Amino acid sequence: MKSATGLLIGAGALLSASCVNGLAEEVFAAIDKQDDGLRTVNKEIWENPELAYKEVHAHKTLTDFLEDQGFNVTRGAYNISTAFRAEYVSGKGRAVSFNSEFDALPGIGHACGHNLIATVGVAAAIGVKEALKNQGVSGRVVLIGTPAEESMGGKVRLLEAGAYDDLDCSLMAHPGNSLYASYGRTLASWRANVTWSGEASHAAAAPWMGRNALDGFVSAYSSTGLYRQQLMATDRIHHVIQGTSEMVANIIPDFVNSVWGVRGKSRPRAEQVREQLFRILYASSNATNTSIEITPFQDYWDQNPSFQLASAYYELQKEYLDPSKDTETANFTITAPEDDDGEASASSDQGNVSWFLPSIQVIFPVGGTAPVHNAGFRELAGTDFAHEQAIKTAKALALTGIQVLQNETFAEAVWGEWEAMIAEISVGLKEDNGNSTKRSVRKRHVH
Ligand SMILES: [Zn+2]
Ligand SMILES: [Zn+2]
């Protein structure tokens, strides 16, 4: 069997779901028992959308609930005021972790459904805690509250602060419309503020005295348009100008602020596109005699999921929660990891996590056709159906985590595959590039 990166996967390492037999019922019951509370958490976050690093209400709602559930909770963890860590330990063993995102989008609230991601993380952690507390499984479950996914990269800061250093896997989920998938890939994404500064002057009386910052932006915008012919289908360049009411037609604009984004299917490819974008930007500054300032604020790496974890999740979902056997979800698409086309869409700071330890970000449906980052999707993310799908997803993720805790052979196979994958995808990557290389030289956690 081959993973999407071409690595050979030992068939013996893939487990049947049998090793969690006898536990699944108790794990599911423990999650169901808390459903009223989980619904309240979900609703509170959905009804009170908050932006990056300002998720105060979500942070309080989640940490209060987790403390009530018997987790050891650190609020404002790793010097990030809206991050948290909730942990439950029983004896010695491996550590499984889940991520709860909870940030919203400007103007359109929870149109990415992060209220559901938060709910999945909490429910899955409750499920694993049941196995640790009452079912004789040993090890740790850690739920990390990860703020600011949409633009500011909360997980990048958490990685740098060591939040993932002592963990054996990172499991999470993201909602979509009508697809169940466990092997989701994402694009590498880099973003920066770019400003051009020139000299103001009367646009009719003395235009020759001015240096036009808007021309700097337009020059770069046009050159990017020419460059598009050389882009690959998986590359993206997108940009917006952030004008002000102070920009008027009879003053030569002396300042322009803008945001530029570059994406590619891998870190090396995104670096190539970014290098050409830098040539374009500096050329625009020269051509218009304006000064340019480039301030990067996002560096999300491509997400490379664990084929082993994705396969375990898929098998467990099929055995215990098969969506094709439920009339409400029978028409949705279910993609097995080995049938995944390997195509990436969108980007996430979970990509950076995937370069640091074995991980998956599974996709579950909320129905409808409104795409993510659309107000229609916000409505879909707030329905009872979406909540029920989140809970089913959490159950299968909890069982996946329990396999990592219970089964040494499986856990070894997950790490072995991940180490080989990182070695393969690091080829052609420039060292450092202003980022910490620490995150791509992670060694397996020693117990
Ligand atoms: Zn989003
Ligand atoms: Zn999202």
Side-chain angles (χ1 to χ4, degrees):
M1 186 184 306
K2 274 190 148 190
S3 75
T5 56
L7 298 167
L8 283 169
I9 308 291
L14 290 176
L15 296 183
S16 77
S18 60
C19 75
V20 294
N21 271 348
L23 279 182
E25 218 168 283
E26 281 78 6
V27 167
F28 292 177
I31 294 171
D32 288 335
K33 204 172 149 198
Q34 304 305 330
D35 195 49
D36 285 351
L38 289 163
R39 271 179 203 271
T40 305
V41 166
N42 184 359
K43 193 163 175 281
E44 278 295 319
I45 299 172
W46 185 77
E47 284 179 351
N48 297 282
E50 297 165 304
L51 300 181
Y53 296 126
K54 294 186 178 126
E55 309 98 329
V56 178
H57 184 70
H59 176 267
K60 181 172 168 41
T61 303
L62 288 159
T63 53
D64 285 356
F65 183 72
L66 286 157
E67 210 155 62
D68 284 349
Q69 293 294 315
F71 287 90
N72 183 6
V73 177
T74 308
R75 294 176 168 82
Y78 307 100
N79 282 326
I80 302 170
S81 64
T82 53
F84 66 83
R85 181 178 173 112
E87 186 159 354
Y88 186 87
V89 186
S90 177
K92 282 195 184 309
R94 284 174 287 280
V96 304
S97 74
F98 302 98
N99 286 330
S100 279
E101 296 175 359
F102 36 76
D103 60 324
L105 290 156
I108 49 174
H110 276 292
C112 211
H114 292 189
N115 55 302
L116 297 167
I117 299 178
T119 307
V120 169
V122 175
I126 288 172
V128 177
K129 178 173 162 274
E130 165 65 21
L132 291 169
K133 191 177 179 192
N134 301 319
Q135 308 299 328
V137 176
S138 60
R140 287 187 293 144
V141 59
V142 176
L143 175 62
I144 304 181
T146 66
E149 187 278 336
E150 287 293 353
S151 60
M152 305 300 285
K155 294 186 199 72
V156 180
R157 281 178 67 186
L158 286 162
L159 280 161
E160 283 166 351
Y164 295 85
D165 282 1
D166 57 348
L167 305 173
D168 287 286
C169 64
S170 171
L171 313 175
M172 66 172 292
H174 199 292
N177 290 116
S178 59
L179 173 70
Y180 292 94
S182 55
Y183 196 70
R185 307 177 70 79
T186 58
L187 300 167
S189 170
W190 175 89
R191 240 175 268 175
N193 273 106
V194 182
T195 62
W196 285 261
S197 299
E199 186 77 43
S201 179
H202 195 293
W208 50 87
M209 300 288 286
R211 288 182 294 116
N212 194 324
L214 182 61
D215 284 353
F217 174 84
V218 171
S219 167
Y221 194 95
S222 306
S223 298
T224 308
L226 299 176
Y227 177 43
R228 288 189 195 280
Q229 189 182 19
Q230 274 66 57
L231 292 179
M232 296 170 78
T234 45
D235 297 330
R236 301 282 184 277
I237 300 180
H238 37 100
H239 32 210
V240 288
I241 187 166
Q242 297 186 313
T244 71
S245 58
E246 286 161 17
M247 291 177 83
V248 290
N250 64 350
I251 304 176
I252 300 292
D254 65 350
F255 185 77
V256 162
N257 189 27
S258 63
V259 180
W260 292 67
V262 164
R263 305 194 200 209
K265 69 176 178 186
S266 64
R267 283 173 66 197
R269 178 58 191 166
E271 277 175 8
Q272 286 172 356
V273 178
R274 187 171 58 199
E275 279 171 10
Q276 181 57 21
L277 177 65
F278 270 78
R279 289 184 201 105
I280 287 170
L281 292 172
Y282 290 130
S284 76
S285 164
N286 277 334
T288 56
N289 193 22
T290 53
S291 56
I292 193 166
E293 203 166 310
I294 304 166
T295 312
F297 64 88
Q298 183 192 93
D299 190 10
Y300 288 3
W301 299 353
D302 46 313
Q303 177 171 266
N304 294 277
S306 158
F307 188 83
Q308 295 274 344
L309 289 169
S311 300
Y313 174 89
Y314 174 73
E315 294 299 332
L316 289 160
Q317 182 188 39
K318 237 179 25 180
E319 177 150 355
Y320 293 100
L321 300 143
D322 191 347
S324 67
K325 291 185 178 149
D326 186 331
T327 48
E328 272 193 306
T329 53
N331 291 331
F332 292 152
T333 306
I334 309 166
T335 307
E338 58 269 30
D339 297 331
D340 192 281
D341 59 12
E343 295 223 343
S345 78
S347 305
S348 168
D349 54 5
Q350 182 67 5
N352 301 53
V353 174
S354 78
W355 283 77
F356 193 69
L357 78 168
S359 70
I360 46 171
Q361 178 166 206
V362 307
I363 306 296
F364 65 95
V366 298
T369 54
V372 290
H373 291 204
N374 173 292
F377 196 86
R378 175 189 61 215
E379 300 310 308
L380 293 166
T383 63
D384 284 344
F385 176 74
H387 177 79
E388 284 147 23
Q389 289 302 304
I391 296 300
K392 284 181 181 171
T393 302
K395 288 175 176 172
L397 273 185
L399 295 185
T400 309
I402 292 166
Q403 277 206 359
V404 173
L405 294 178
Q406 272 190 320
N407 195 302
E408 182 81 36
T409 314
F410 177 62
E412 280 296 313
V414 167
W415 271 114
E417 174 208 58
W418 179 84
E419 284 163 352
M421 176 181 74
I422 293 299
E424 184 180 313
I425 62 180
S426 297
V427 174
L429 199 59
K430 288 190 178 154
E431 274 301 299
D432 202 9
N433 209 353
N435 306 306
S436 165
T437 52
K438 176 193 161 216
R439 300 194 298 269
S440 55
V441 293
R442 163 75 191 267
K443 292 282 179 276
R444 89 174 61 183
H445 175 217
V446 178
H447 298 278

